[in-house]
């Protein structure tokens, strides 16, 4: 259900949450604005998944400016319903808060890096315990803040599903005992907080989580689960420079086809530097643009009823004949056959053949 392709990244929504918390704590943007994935075209695009390291560095910076207990409280306060996208509504649409928690656990990857974060649920008679494990390479204070925030977030979403405040039976944190924990008492609504625990967890009365959710809608949970799957399927991971370049290349461009100078401008580098970095990654501008066009054309053939002429026009080919030559080169078949079969021919060359590629718009400065 969670793609390994997304490990090492988090949702742009979670990254925005970290940025908003940093602003609330008065941290100067100069300290984090340069981090990868924080360019507006990435941060504001819900299809992009910035590097997990970006959120980690912001959390570490936050705990330099404020106690980790306060950072956890501020981060949770910033996370209003809807701030984390479809994941939030998996809680509130389910028949009960407990079922919502199960759905949210299954699709945790829509928000966090499942290579480092996971959630477990256990039921023991009259109690239900939600445990959050975080194994990211964070500074200790930042790790404490992230774990405390995760529990606060689960409590908040479960309360939103129940439409009332849910006070936990107890809270356990895999964190050093702080000098003061007033912020955590306010966050969880209880003084029953254990520190130095092996795993961070929050425990509720089973009766509270099994009560019907007031705003549950029959069938909506299934729709949202499918939406969560689609979110993961279409997400664009941004783990490194090449991922960031490809996201900038694939994003909409004024005036149609992307140009070398326009993409270089988005990435705040010169065209010469951009070409050099592509060379360092074993690729070229022309190859990258060709790949984007191939993926776009394949999607249009499989997912629309557009004519070959219309697809050629959308893809900046001179005419349908040029498009047919390109598809033959990529997949060793025709556009019509590719559309009928729904998949590339077994002998597909995917652009790796010996024939020269069609001229690519914007390939030269």
């Amino acid at each position: 259900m969670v793609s390994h392709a997304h490990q090492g990244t988090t949702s742009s929504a979670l990254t925005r949450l970290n940025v908003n918390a940093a602003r609330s704590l008065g941290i100067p943007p100069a300290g984090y604005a340069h981090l990868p994935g924080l360019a507006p075209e990435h941060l504001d695009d819900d299809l992009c998944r910035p590097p997990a390291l970006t959120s980690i560095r912001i959390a570490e910076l936050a705990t330099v400016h404020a106690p980790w207990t306060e950072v956890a409280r501020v981060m949770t306060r910033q996370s209003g319903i809807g701030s984390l996208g479809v994941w939030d509504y998996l809680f509130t649409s389910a028949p009960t808060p407990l079922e919502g928690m199960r759905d949210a656990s299954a699709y945790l990857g829509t928000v966090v890096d499942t290579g480092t974060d996971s959630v477990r649920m256990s039921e023991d008679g009259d109690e239900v315990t939600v445990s959050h494990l975080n194994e990211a390479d964070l500074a200790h204070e930042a790790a404490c803040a992230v774990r405390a925030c995760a529990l606060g977030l689960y409590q908040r979403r479960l309360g939103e599903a129940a439409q009332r405040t849910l006070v936990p039976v107890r809270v356990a944190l895999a964190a050093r005992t702080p000098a003061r924990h007033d912020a955590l008492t306010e966050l969880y609504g209880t003084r029953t907080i254990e520190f130095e625990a092996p795993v961070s967890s929050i425990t509720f009365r089973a009766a509270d989580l099994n009560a019907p959710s007031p705003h549950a809608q029959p069938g909506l949970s299934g729709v949202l689960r499918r939406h969560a799957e689609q979110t993961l399927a279409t997400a664009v991971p941004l783990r490194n420079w090449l991922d960031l370049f490809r996201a900038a290349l694939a994003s909409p461009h004024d005036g149609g086809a992307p140009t070398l100078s326009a993409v270089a401008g988005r990435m705040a580098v010169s065209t010469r530097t951009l070409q050099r970095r592509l060379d360092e990654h074993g690729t070229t501008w022309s190859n990258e643009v060709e790949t984007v066009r191939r993926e776009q054309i394949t999607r249009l053939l499989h997912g629309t009823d557009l004519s070959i002429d219309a697809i050629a026009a959308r893809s900046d080919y001179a005419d349908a004949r040029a498009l047919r030559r390109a598809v033959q080169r990529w997949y060793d078949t025709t556009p019509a056959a590719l559309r009928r079969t729904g998949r590339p021919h077994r002998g597909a060359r995917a652009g790796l053949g010996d024939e020269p590629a069609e001229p690519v718009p914007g390939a030269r400065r």
Side-chain angles (χ1 to χ4, degrees), residues 49-61:
R49 288 182 63 95
L53 281 173
T54 291
S55 286
I56 286 173
R57 295 295 171 255
I58 295 174
E60 290 176 336
L61 192 60

Side-chain angles (χ1 to χ4, degrees), residues 5-40:
H6 300 327
Q7 291 188 359
T9 67
T10 66
S11 70
S12 57
L14 182 63
T15 309
R16 288 196 298 268
L17 176 63
N18 279 278
V19 169
N20 290 337
R23 288 172 180 158
S24 294
L25 290 164
I27 301 173
Y32 55 84
H34 64 284
L35 294 171
L38 295 190

